[in-house]
Amino acid sequence: MADIDFNGRVAIITGAGGGLGRAHALALAARGAKVVVNDLGGDVHGAGGDASPAQKVVDEITSNGGEAIVDGSDITDAAAVEKLVEDVKGKWGRIDILINNAGILRDKSFAKMELDDVRKVLEVHLMGTVNCTKAVWPVMVEAGYGRILMTTSASGIYGNFGQANYAAAKSGIVGFMNTLAIEGEKKGIHVNSLAPSAATRMTEDLLPQAVLDILQPETISPGALFLVSEAAPTKKILGAGAGVFAVSEMVEAPGVFIPEGARTPEVIAERWNEIADVSKDAAPLGSAFDQTAKYAKLAAKELGIELPG
């Protein structure tokens, strides 16, 4: 297989002042990309601001012969993000890659969680991702090429105690990715998600040291780089951690048609195991419309109806 390189490519990485974002930035720069290191420099809860972490990453890149610039824009500020994109395009003439990585945590059980903690986490993770993606989208459409990587989480896919706000945001990002992958495919824009398990500021108080030692961010970045390369697939969720990589996928059971006369809650309960059986013939669906078409075809077959087309 040919080497994957990013010579001539321009990448914006949010939350790149440390942890995963830093690892992604260094790895991309090492393979030739020009990198925008975006980081507000706040703490893990979203408070404060400090440009020095992002500057240190830029200094690491430039000291190794790469090109990088610092950006301290708040990704929740759509106007600031638009200006960032304009400035980058003005400086380097293009934007090929966006890695939406910035995030915060405000963990509490839902009973104890304040609504402001829900709003803030949604604003940073979900709307921050939307703002950055919205800003680069027309640039990529015009170029006929783009690679966008969302950062989701196992919390958003499977749930996690004390992270209702974070899980909601990360699940929303998957839905966002699914639609943009459909809309971007004919425009040369591939959109994927990374679900990382890494030792970062966001996990250092949650995991034992022995686990943190093997969950270094650098073990994840190879997956991120593949998902923003020319060879990248689209509409995929890649789990990654400690050098392990696994695709997560939502599948749907084949479906059970229940005729009108028997279509009661009691029959649903009686046939639940059959309805919920994903052990055979379960498959992913390409879009919401594909689900509608599936149900219509199954019902039509059982009813003896011939559908057009």
Side-chain angles (χ1 to χ4, degrees), residues 62-219:
T62 55
S63 67
N64 289 321
E67 288 189 67
I69 58 173
V70 171
D71 176 73
S73 300
D74 182 346
I75 62 169
T76 68
D77 183 341
V81 173
E82 288 281 358
K83 184 178 186 307
L84 160 63
V85 168
E86 289 174 10
D87 290 348
V88 172
K89 192 176 179 187
K91 179 177 179 61
W92 283 324
R94 60 193 300 153
I95 299 169
D96 305 285
I97 296 163
L98 169 65
I99 299 181
N100 289 300
N101 172 75
I104 63 171
L105 286 178
R106 293 193 176 183
D107 291 358
K108 287 182 181 177
S109 67
F110 188 61
K112 297 177 181 179
M113 188 177 289
E114 299 292 336
L115 288 178
D116 282 347
D117 292 331
V118 177
R119 292 189 185 97
K120 183 62 176 179
V121 169
L122 287 170
E123 186 69 21
V124 173
H125 286 276
L126 183 54
M127 286 309 302
T129 293
V130 171
N131 290 339
C132 294
T133 305
K134 181 68 172 175
V136 303
W137 193 261
V139 178
M140 293 179 175
V141 168
E142 183 181 3
Y145 181 91
R147 296 292 182 266
I148 299 173
L149 183 61
M150 314 295 187
T151 304
T152 185
S153 169
S155 295
I157 302 169
Y158 307 111
N160 203 37
F161 186 90
Q163 292 193 315
N165 50 1
Y166 180 75
K170 291 304 192 182
S171 185
I173 284 169
V174 171
F176 185 50
M177 173 204 76
N178 285 337
T179 293
L180 292 190
I182 294 169
E183 294 183 5
E185 191 165 15
K186 290 184 179 178
K187 298 175 174 64
I189 303 172
H190 292 196
V191 189
N192 294 286
S193 288
L194 187 69
S197 292
T200 68
R201 288 190 308 164
M202 293 175 69
T203 58
E204 63 185 4
D205 295 328
L206 304 175
L207 297 169
Q209 189 59 50
V211 175
L212 293 171
D213 289 343
I214 62 171
L215 287 174
Q216 294 304 304
E218 291 77 13
T219 68

